[in-house]
Amino acid sequence: NKAATREQVDKVRASAVQAGRNPEDIKVFMGLNVIVAATEALAREKHAEYRRHASAEAGVAHFAASTGIDFSRYELDEPIQYVKNNAIQSATKNLKNNDWTRQKLLDQHALGGRYITLIGSPEQVADELESWIEETGLDGFNLTRIVTPESYEDFIDLVIPELQRRGSYKTAYQDGSLRKKLFPQGTDRLPQRHAGAAHRHI
């Protein structure tokens, strides 16, 4: 949810300050699924079609690879126990709340992945994207796909023009490296205050 995301973003930026870095030197992006169509009704129909072809069990099995936990040994409504291991810690930390069940994971992975899914018209999706940025402090999104290339084509054809109309997305590419584009006040190379700059050889 947005409150939890805001807390995580603030924690990351606070850690940067504690390490002597500028908190704005770190860009935070969130993975996101988008199902969009000309109207909300059409987007809901598309979502239902995707659900018919997706495997939630496969999604949970993929998630198990990140957590090191065999979820198949749990009953649907049995609380999943957190066990510290060498898996991806950010993937397992939510299990500490002890309110996760296999059914909840199956619902979350209904489309095969664990990312939040926005469903709606271009206007509705744009509203939500702007809301996430404003309320959480995120810098952007890592757009994932449900169907390739359809998911990307829909976003490009329907959502991007709406964001551009609102002034929330660029209408032309700037010159320079990706770093320069992400940090408009910076340069093409790491700033001297960055720890990595000490290892520069050229």
Side-chain angles (χ1 to χ4, degrees), residues 137-156:
L138 286 169
D139 296 292
F141 304 96
N142 181 11
L143 186 65
T144 62
R145 82 285 179 268
I146 299 170
V147 177
T148 304
E150 182 175 299
S151 297
Y152 296 127
E153 291 175 340
D154 287 345
F155 192 88
I156 292 168

Side-chain angles (χ1 to χ4, degrees), residues 33 35 45-61 105-114 117 145-147 151:
N33 292 324
I35 300 175
E45 288 180 12
K46 186 178 294 186
H47 176 237
E49 179 185 359
Y50 290 164
R51 287 286 299 266
R52 287 194 293 271
H53 295 284
S55 170
E57 287 285 1
V60 172
L105 287 175
L106 288 169
D107 292 341
Q108 185 187 41
H109 292 75
L111 292 174
R114 64 181 183 271
T117 300
R145 82 285 179 268
I146 299 170
V147 177
S151 297

Side-chain angles (χ1 to χ4, degrees), residues 24 27 174 177-187:
E24 298 308 316
K27 298 297 183 183
Q174 299 175 347
S177 65
L178 176 60
R179 174 175 295 281
K180 183 67 178 293
K181 294 171 184 175
L182 288 175
F183 303 94
Q185 306 306 317
T187 64

Side-chain angles (χ1 to χ4, degrees), residues 153-173:
E153 291 175 340
D154 287 345
F155 192 88
I156 292 168
D157 293 341
L158 298 171
V159 181
I160 292 297
E162 177 61 24
L163 291 173
Q164 289 175 327
R165 186 183 67 78
R166 302 177 182 206
S168 297
Y169 194 84
K170 61 179 177 282
T171 56
Y173 285 97

